[in-house]
Amino acid sequence: MTTPIGPVILFDDEFHMYVLTDQAFAEAWWEIPDEYTCGFDALARPLRMTGEPHQVHLELTGEEPNEAELRRMVASHYQRFLRRQVPPEATDLSEFVAALPREGM
């Protein structure tokens, strides 16, 4: 299987969204795999997280993108936590992902 393409978009167990530069940054930044719910790479391919606390690993679950689910999860995050803002409206996936707020920048 190939490597996830950054940025990676991760959602925790409370469905907060984190947009992290790439797989290596995400694996160093994320502390506990039990707090992970779901994630996607920049091509909207689903990710899974495995490992132990402070030693997490991200991997693709397949090559098939799920852009609709990524957009749904992002919209849900905005509705819950960023009520005064609207999610990116770009129809192109790469522009949509590029417009997401990133951690550590």
Side-chain angles (χ1 to χ4, degrees):
M1 199 157 305
T2 60
T3 302
I5 295 175
V8 295
I9 303 99
L10 308 178
F11 296 88
D12 69 12
D13 54 355
E14 295 179 351
F15 297 100
H16 284 93
M17 176 180 71
Y18 303 89
V19 183
L20 305 167
T21 306
D22 56 24
Q23 178 182 2
F25 182 77
E27 289 174 347
W29 190 82
W30 202 275
E31 295 179 352
I32 301 173
D34 292 350
E35 294 177 349
Y36 171 84
T37 297
C38 68
F40 304 87
D41 78 348
L43 300 178
R45 298 178 296 181
L47 302 170
R48 78 173 138 241
M49 184 180 288
T50 59
E52 301 296 322
H54 305 285
Q55 294 180 345
V56 301
H57 181 69
L58 282 174
E59 57 190 28
L60 293 169
T61 61
E63 293 295 320
E64 194 65 36
N66 193 345
E67 183 176 346
E69 181 65 4
L70 169 60
R71 288 179 181 267
R72 187 189 72 71
M73 294 290 296
V74 169
S76 177
H77 170 79
Y78 274 77
Q79 285 177 332
R80 289 178 183 194
F81 306 109
L82 302 173
R83 292 185 183 139
R84 294 189 179 126
Q85 300 179 39
V86 295
E89 296 178 357
T91 56
D92 179 72
L93 177 61
S94 62
E95 292 174 12
F96 176 79
V97 170
L100 295 173
R102 301 227 180 137
E103 298 291 327
M105 297 196 82

